[in-house]
Amino acid sequence: MSVALLLKTAVEYRGRMMGVRMLAVYGLPIGLLAAGALVVQIGFAAQTTLYALIGLAAATAIVYRWRAVL
């Protein structure tokens, strides 16, 4: 996957692409551990909904922030 990303990305953006990939990959174990604990506590449907709402809130915050910067 790393090779495919590097081949399809422009030379100027390869470092940024690998940095974003590392951030995504390093966050997976923490999210999976939290998801396992939450499934036991609140159930699968509620945990999935919670993660979706957190993701939408984060995406909205990013868009709001970028609009202010641009």
Side-chain angles (χ1 to χ4, degrees):
M1 186 166 120
S2 297
V3 173
L5 283 172
L6 289 174
L7 288 175
K8 296 295 181 181
T9 305
V11 176
E12 303 87 32
Y13 298 110
R14 287 183 181 166
R16 293 177 190 165
M17 175 57 73
M18 294 309 291
V20 168
R21 180 185 169 273
M22 283 176 41
L23 289 172
V25 170
Y26 287 156
L28 281 174
I30 296 167
L32 289 173
L33 285 171
L38 282 173
V39 165
V40 172
Q41 296 282 327
I42 63 175
F44 178 76
Q47 181 267 332
T48 306
T49 303
L50 179 66
Y51 266 36
L53 291 174
I54 290 170
L56 287 172
T60 303
I62 290 168
V63 168
Y64 181 74
R65 172 75 181 192
W66 278 0
R67 289 188 65 179
V69 170
L70 297 177

